[in-house]
Amino acid sequence: MPAPLEYLAVSCILFGIGIAGVLTRRNLLVILMSIELMLNSANLAFLTFSRLHGQLHGQVIAIFVMTVAAAEAAIGLAIVVALFRQTGSVRIDEATRLRG
Amino acid sequence: MGTPIPLPIMPGDLTAIGPLLAVVIAAAGFLAVDMAFTREELKNRWTFIIGIIGAALAAVTALMLDIGTGESRLILGEALYADLYTVFFDLLFALLMGASLVLSWTAVERARMKPVEFYSLAAFSFAGMFLTSRAADLLSLFLAIELLSMPLYVLAGFATTSKTGREAALKYFVLGSVASAILLFGIALMYGGTGSIDYVELGAQVSSGGRDSPLVLAGLALILAGLAFKVGAVPFHMWTPDVYEGSPTAVTALMATGVKAAGLAAAIRFLAGPMAAALSYVSVMLWWIVALSMVVGNAGAMLQSNVKRLLAYSSIAHAGYILMGLLGDSLGTAAAVYYTAVYVLSVAGAFGVVQYFGDGDRELETVDDFNGAAKRHPWISLLFTIFLLSLAGIPPTGGFVAKFFVFGSAIQTGHIGLALLGVLTSVIGIYYYLRLVIAMWMKDEGRPVLAELSPTSWVVLGLLAASVLALGCMPGWLWLIVQSAVVSLV
Amino acid sequence: MVRYPSAVLSFLVMSEFFPIGILFFFACAVAGGILFVDSFFGERRPNAVKGSTYECGIETKVDARRRFHVRYFVVALLFILFDVEVALLYPWAVLFRRLGVEGFIMVGIFMALIVDGLVYAWKKGALEWE
């Protein structure tokens, strides 16, 4: 059986990709996907640790996080659609009215 | 088919989450009202009635909690706490909910939002706030913070007439969910390092040599970063000015009072509760957060001409002052809780007043817009002045006493440099708060228009101002309550 | 520590899936080989009719990459929400008998809250197509 370290490495890499995606990408939908990626990388870490400690806590948390992620995705998409109707674009560069 | 598994619900547990149930039922009630009636007046009337009943029920059930000998009690399968600390914050949030119903109504209608929809979303957010002060494990903490944030992401972009609301909603959503994800990853690492998510269990693990585990350290740092975002402390404050300015004022008032108080309630419980041993590992990080928040918040506020941005930057500074209390001993923690209460009352009052100034659809935006307010509307200007003086920390208001407690405990525990920095930045604070006061009382060229205040709004604003003054003149009674609440934390 | 090559190899050879693996390999090899050979000897004469999208013999009218109406998003959003909440029911379903009536009541309250949301969406016309 592979060591848990490898799963952890994957989880950390996914989290890093998510953060990098939020910081560098300009397309709102890609940013939304990056946020989902971060949440799911945490899920992978929870499951790994759950297996490592031989407990169920981590798996229970993962189910909760899945539902929270779905709610967050729904709200995010709703906001993007609302902004698209206003500006006709899904690029974050367009959202620059508030400055200072 | 196996032995039955009893649910972890003890008698008395439901009373202990009474305020939470009251608010959730009120939220469901708002939805029912929206479905049941078609005429706007009926909808509005029932929304107000249900909201006030919900807030009153939350306060009453909070007071009904049997706190016994003052020790913390774990309820619902050790997921939540019930103690004096939760009662204290329950009362604060119930008061906020009532104040929001009375004071924000005009602003909600001015922004062309439907009150019933606004208050149902706000009620769900309040349910999250009631959860934050009682979270007893990291999963409850995460769920509470998500429940409190998500309705506000929607509310920020809810005003269809606003040009900036949707952009504010987007920024709040993106940065807020990143903060939630960081918090969650921190929780995952913490769980990996200790094999537990329980505060009590975690505290025991950490104090018995968890320092060696890099997982625990990284987890703590990430959780602290996530919480610092929610309370808007530097360097996680970037969203605050834009979101506060762009959102409808009624929503900004909720963010500045409820969200901040809830984030602080969670942070204080997390850092000063059973996990207090962990505080020493992150105290350097906390020191920098406090110092930078005070400097950046006050310096930023000094440069603003927009009132909402000014209050946003000043709220960053206040987050710094409150977190300073956590660096001290249990007296410092009590000072932080006391400061939170004073801050919430003053800001609720200040935003309450700001919401009534304006002409038709337009609200007063800049400091200069308030020129000559005292000539035309002396009474409300007087109330506004009291709230501003409290925020600036000038006696005889509660803000002065709160700052005195926080700085005093910092000096006692050896953080003299930080206390000095706090005093210096407070002086900057006096400058920009007095700018607003001077605009109202000393200048007379402007003609700010005031919306009509209902008698209830006068009563609520008057009560808020009276309590701010009372906390400054007779701080003893609340200080005693706060101290016993903090004792029950550990 | 973990000796991958030998472990992987022994797993492959010992396992009962080994014959299936051989079958899979040959299937890929034959299909790939035919395509490869075809690319050498086959004749290619493309024209506009041949290159057009085939949609059950009906002539194509518009480009496939067009904007969806906003109501697709609304339905999709509602679907995500109500779909994922079901994940919370699985643990209860597994222990249905052992959790007894109390568990049933608790899940009933949970479902009632979700159904409240569904009824609200319905009443607000979020499920109306036209």
Side-chain angles (χ1 to χ4, degrees):
Chain A
M1 196 184 92
L5 201 62
E6 292 158 29
Y7 289 104
L8 270 187
V10 172
S11 144
C12 287
I13 290 169
L14 284 179
F15 190 76
I17 293 174
I19 287 219
V22 171
L23 292 180
T24 58
R25 302 305 293 264
R26 301 287 84 177
N27 188 314
L28 282 174
L29 294 172
V30 178
I31 290 179
L32 273 185
M33 285 190 263
S34 303
I35 290 169
E36 293 298 302
L37 199 59
M38 289 166 78
L39 288 175
N40 283 313
S41 74
N43 256 356
L44 184 59
F46 273 121
L47 294 177
T48 311
F49 288 131
S50 173
R51 190 71 193 273
L52 181 72
H53 294 300
Q55 295 171 337
L56 286 177
H57 288 84
Q59 301 186 24
V60 174
I61 297 173
I63 293 181
F64 276 102
V65 174
M66 270 167 59
T67 51
V68 167
E72 215 163 62
I75 290 176
L77 274 175
I79 292 175
V80 170
V81 169
L83 198 73
F84 176 76
R85 282 174 170 183
Q86 194 177 33
T87 61
S89 160
V90 290
R91 298 185 63 78
I92 203 163
D93 315 337
E94 311 283 328
T96 50
R97 276 171 194 276
L98 297 165
R99 272 283 166 85
Chain B
M1 294 298 289
T3 47
I5 307 170
L7 292 187
I9 302 177
M10 301 295 145
D13 280 8
L14 288 184
T15 335
I17 58 163
L20 197 59
L21 293 178
V23 180
V24 171
I25 291 172
F30 289 137
L31 295 187
V33 165
D34 200 11
M35 286 186 272
F37 301 109
T38 43
R39 279 171 51 211
E40 288 297 322
E41 313 97 79
L42 277 176
K43 270 189 197 179
N44 287 350
R45 187 188 302 159
W46 279 101
T47 304
F48 190 75
I49 292 172
I50 288 181
I52 290 294
I53 291 177
L57 262 183
V60 169
T61 47
L63 287 172
M64 271 165 53
L65 180 76
D66 175 23
I67 51 170
T69 52
E71 280 169 13
S72 261
R73 197 151 55 86
L74 284 164
I75 56 167
L76 290 180
E78 310 194 344
L80 301 176
Y81 278 114
D83 50 25
L84 196 56
Y85 183 77
T86 64
V87 174
F88 180 81
F89 275 100
D90 284 350
L91 289 177
L92 201 61
F93 292 133
L95 181 90
L96 262 185
M97 191 172 161
S100 164
L101 268 166
V102 175
L103 297 179
S104 292
W105 198 281
T106 317
V108 168
E109 288 192 325
R110 180 183 285 155
R112 299 269 183 281
M113 295 188 279
K114 298 233 171 69
V116 60
E117 292 169 352
F118 176 89
Y119 286 112
S120 61
L121 283 167
F124 282 115
S125 186
F126 271 111
M129 293 174 203
F130 281 110
L131 263 177
T132 48
S133 65
R134 51 187 85 217
D137 61 37
L138 292 171
L139 177 60
S140 307
L141 174 75
F142 176 71
L143 291 179
I145 286 183
E146 287 295 277
L147 179 57
L148 121 95
S149 312
M150 281 192 195
L152 282 171
Y153 298 149
V154 181
L155 280 179
F158 211 49
T160 44
T161 50
S162 162
K163 291 196 182 77
T164 50
R166 287 169 185 182
E167 188 188 324
L170 179 77
K171 285 184 175 168
Y172 193 30
F173 170 77
V174 170
L175 294 171
S177 356
V178 169
S180 301
I182 289 175
L183 176 74
L184 186 69
F185 205 73
I187 293 173
L189 295 184
M190 197 78 183
Y191 171 63
T194 60
S196 170
I197 53 168
D198 235 48
Y199 282 2
V200 180
E201 175 73 27
L202 281 174
Q205 293 253 2
V206 168
S207 49
S208 67
R211 177 162 214 162
D212 306 335
S213 167
L215 281 176
V216 174
L217 279 185
L220 267 177
L222 288 179
I223 292 175
L224 192 58
L227 288 175
F229 176 90
K230 291 295 166 194
V231 301
V234 180
F236 311 99
H237 67 291
M238 311 301 273
W239 60 281
T240 331
D242 280 0
V243 173
Y244 276 32
E245 186 196 347
S247 307
T249 312
V251 183
T252 312
L254 267 185
M255 290 174 188
T257 53
V259 176
K260 192 150 276 206
L264 287 165
I268 292 170
R269 168 77 84 187
F270 181 73
L271 290 173
M275 296 271 296
L279 184 61
S280 57
Y281 305 157
V282 285
S283 56
V284 177
M285 184 175 164
L286 193 60
W287 194 95
W288 279 104
I289 288 180
V290 169
L292 287 175
S293 296
M294 293 189 302
V295 172
V296 173
N298 280 313
M302 203 169 62
L303 303 173
Q304 301 305 318
S305 57
N306 182 305
V307 174
K308 273 158 94 181
R309 284 186 92 84
L310 188 149
L311 288 173
Y313 272 105
S314 86
S315 82
I316 297 171
H318 286 294
Y321 294 130
I322 294 172
L323 289 176
M324 190 200 287
L326 285 181
L327 283 170
D329 47 8
S330 72
L331 278 183
T333 313
V337 176
Y338 189 91
Y339 199 126
T340 309
V342 172
Y343 166 80
V344 164
L345 294 176
S346 314
V347 172
F351 269 106
V353 173
V354 169
Q355 285 168 10
Y356 281 105
F357 276 106
D359 186 11
D361 285 350
R362 215 183 69 84
E363 294 173 333
L364 294 195
E365 279 167 358
T366 64
V367 175
D368 293 334
D369 284 349
F370 282 87
N371 283 352
K375 281 259 162 52
R376 292 166 63 94
H377 316 288
W379 287 108
I380 197 147
S381 303
L382 181 67
L383 292 175
F384 197 23
T385 308
I386 291 173
F387 298 128
L388 288 175
L389 289 184
S390 170
L391 286 172
I394 292 173
T397 56
F400 170 74
V401 180
K403 281 208 170 74
F404 181 76
F405 285 153
V406 167
F407 296 155
S409 86
I411 289 171
Q412 264 184 353
T413 48
H415 296 286
I416 296 169
L418 210 55
L420 266 181
L421 191 64
V423 173
L424 281 179
T425 50
S426 302
V427 175
I428 305 178
I430 293 175
Y431 161 74
Y432 60 78
Y433 285 121
L434 281 188
R435 236 174 72 202
L436 256 174
V437 175
I438 288 171
M440 283 194 300
W441 292 92
M442 310 261 177
K443 300 186 178 166
D444 45 4
E445 63 263 40
R447 306 188 147 272
V449 183
L450 188 69
E452 197 187 339
L453 271 78
S454 64
T456 6
S457 333
W458 279 114
V459 171
V460 171
L461 280 177
L463 279 177
L464 283 174
S467 55
V468 166
L469 284 177
L471 288 178
C473 302
M474 305 172 282
W477 57 277
L478 188 73
W479 180 239
L480 278 180
I481 296 175
V482 163
Q483 270 183 315
S484 20
V486 166
V487 168
S488 73
L489 268 181
V490 185
Chain C
M1 211 170 75
V2 183
R3 291 182 301 280
Y4 271 96
S6 72
V8 169
L9 220 62
S10 68
F11 173 77
L12 279 181
V13 175
M14 300 300 291
S15 129
E16 52 192 304
F17 291 106
F18 188 58
I20 298 178
I22 294 178
L23 184 70
F24 186 73
F25 173 77
F26 275 102
C28 290
V30 170
I34 289 175
L35 282 175
F36 182 71
V37 172
D38 182 63
S39 67
F40 268 103
F41 301 105
E43 246 181 273
R44 229 171 267 112
R45 277 193 294 269
N47 61 42
V49 177
K50 246 197 214 167
S52 67
T53 316
Y54 180 75
E55 183 92 44
C56 308
I58 300 168
E59 278 185 40
T60 49
K61 293 200 181 76
V62 288
D63 191 51
R65 286 180 296 271
R66 68 178 183 154
R67 277 179 192 167
F68 287 97
H69 196 277
V70 128
R71 61 187 172 228
Y72 287 96
F73 286 100
V74 176
V75 172
L77 290 183
L78 290 173
F79 172 74
I80 293 179
L81 283 177
F82 293 115
D83 182 52
V84 179
E85 302 308 330
V86 173
L88 290 173
L89 293 182
Y90 279 112
W92 168 71
V94 171
L95 293 173
F96 176 67
R97 280 171 198 277
R98 293 177 66 191
L99 285 170
V101 182
E102 285 179 347
F104 184 75
I105 293 172
M106 286 297 144
V107 173
I109 295 173
F110 172 67
M111 288 308 290
L113 279 174
I114 290 181
V115 170
D116 189 28
L118 178 65
V119 171
Y120 183 76
W122 198 340
K123 270 275 188 178
K124 280 272 155 179
L127 299 177
E128 302 294 326
W129 196 250
E130 291 305 327

